[in-house]
Amino acid sequence: MAAVGSTGVGAVEPLVLVTHDGRTAAHARCTPDRAADVVAAAADDPDGIADGADAVVEHEPGRPRLPALDLSGLDAGDRRVLGACGWRRPTEPADHEAAGGFAEHEATAVRDAAADLRGRGWGDWCRDRPLGGTWDAARAADGDPCVVVNGHGNPADALLLASAPFEVLEGAQAAARAVGGDRVVVYASSDDARAVEAVREAAERYPDPAASVDVVAGPPEYRAAEPTMALEAIEGNHRLEARLRPPGPEKEGLHGCPTLVHTPRTLAYLAVALREGGPADTRAVTVTGDVDAPATVELPESETLAAAVDAATVDGEFKAACVGGRFGGVTRSLDVAHAPEDLAEAGLGTEGVVQVLAEDRCIVEFVGKRAQFASETNCGRCVPCREGTTQLAERLRDVYDRNYDAAGIEELVRVMERSSICAFGEDAGRPARTAMAAFESEFEAHARGRCPAGRCMETTEGIAQ
Amino acid sequence: MSSERTDTADVPPLTEGIAPGTATDPDVSSDEPATVTVDGIEVSLDAGDTLLDAVEAVEPDESVPALCSYDRQEIGPRSECRTCMVETDAYGVVPACSFPVEDGMTVSTAAEAAAEARDVNLDLVLSDHNLRCTTCGKNGRCELQDAAIDQEVEEPRYGVLDDREEYEPIDDSSSFIQIDRNKCILCNRCVEACNDVQVEGVLRMEGSGQDTRIGFQNDAATMEESTCVSCGHCVTVCPTGSLVEKGIEDATTIPIPGFTQKNSVGKTYENSGETKGPMTPKKRPERPDADGESATADEGSSAGDDPGGVWSDDGGDWP
């Protein structure tokens, strides 16, 4: 009996897995009573574990990763990086060691593995860029480098910290070694209490860490995931705003020291690449929005968004998706691969979050609320973001007053993208820009006083809410 | 720079409690002399110069307002207004005031993307500025007015801040300095003058989003209740009519009968009568917090040394 972390697929949890002799039986959505029955039955008759199970799978005895199960969200193939989630005890070093963890890798080997590995998520200073150049700059900079693990705000990152913290810490230790650093700081949102607790316990139990590890819980605001605001929060500033760049944290970061800022995903991919002698060409993707329960899955980069959305059950009829987190791109088509260049080409984001929008959603309302969110939660430092998001929200509201200035909105979003200090402002206009392209007719209908989704128009008779 | 580090051991005790609320920016100045080309003209720069120095050394093809840049006395670059965007061959569109110079850079001011960004960003600044120049004490000596004239702004595309419901009261409570936040462009010069140059620790940047404003580190609502010593440095660096010296707050207004700065805004914090002007009140030893805690004494230094604790919003005003 062992308590493991979440698999990332909420719809099948609480999940009870019974493993015996190269076979694992899965019991999904277990009540405490049913779990007790399953455990008792398995103790009585270990060969009969398949009875009454929702899925059964054969695998190598002693397998270190969760096997693919015939359950929605867990059937997408081998979880090479998320495999520890729901399979190994999160804070038990022995489990990680049995999976080949805690191996010492030469600094040069780590640097080779990182050279072409791309950073994942907007919390990663090397978002979509190979880590190599940034690491070289950190090594060349004055001062002792440190590694910040930025696990703030992304569901897959929080999952890794909560369910597989040793994967993340091992990647962080390797990164520290590779740049000659002796300090790791793990940073997560205070809203992700489980992640903070798990990684704190794992850090305490990490065998012979070369670099010291501290865990800091930061404020839960969305903007606090921005890499330089993460540094400000760790340094204890009572107010968060983005720092100027360049130079980036790799030259002058935490307390002025050269700092690598990577997400748990990036570091877990690094750890797995070192262990397996090559990177996993997969992506961790979380499906949220109008679905039965959020699901985090791992898919090959060549797989399409449709495969990710298949991991969850859409509430109603699929209409669109916002791809790339809070400020992702809005698309009708899920026929886009997960590789960053494919997503970028389609105008979508690479945050690894796909928010499903069902048929009864109004796109104009959706992007209006996103713009409003951006205007209320930005740090307030730079004009293109602070004033730009405010104007964007107002111009989207003007659509309800029969005034749809597409060219003006496009111009504004273009300038926000080009001249904001940080990624918050660079990305904030993306939902509006992409939705206007994909759902032009909806915007034009609103400008004529009609909401195709039938959600807005009672309100526009008077004043749009 | 916008804020000195308060968590290192070599900071004099005087500055320990200063919390300007701004980010600790990296050093963006170049270490070495460099030669760059601006609009086809070669410019030699000394170490520590910026691209903006290069732009200002020539007659650029297009005017570059660089509204929030001050570039003296260790103030800035804040790089907040983004009206100094220029195009570089190597890095695309960058802010000239705060981009580290590299030898051999090629800069274009007329490139369409950069010109558009400067133009839109200046209009965005104006969108949040109460453009009541005729009753403003800085009429005719205002950097925002100059920039708007240079850029030939006739009709700002996003309008101006003219909704009286949204105006903040004028703070006329001090005997020496008047604050009209409706004219503030949040360039942060006053905060840096107060904290980094005068080391008084009075002003701070506070809030976020549209609520971002210049406030006081002792949480006071008005200048009179703050720990201001009336040195006036903030006034000398303010680019607009947001901070003006009392006595000349209407020096350059255009006399329109019955129309004044105060009635155009409609709300004012007046002097309580408790402080005797013209005399600077004694600086209080600590901030008069409701909970009796000195909100700066137990952060900053401790947060830096011990990142193991849970972050707490220590008397700040956000979220």
Side-chain angles (χ1 to χ4, degrees), chain A residues 216 221 238 241 390 414 419, chain B residues 78 82 116 210 307 318-319:
Chain A
V216 181
E221 277 70 20
H238 69 283
E241 60 176 30
T390 301
R414 217 168 31 235
S419 59
Chain B
R78 176 70 174 168
R82 315 302 264 191
E116 178 186 67
Q210 279 299 307
W318 64 277

Side-chain angles (χ1 to χ4, degrees), chain A residues 67-87:
Chain A
L69 290 158
D70 191 14
L71 290 172
S72 172
L74 297 175
D75 54 359
D78 196 2
R79 296 182 145 217
R80 292 178 63 187
V81 176
L82 297 180
C85 303
W87 191 249

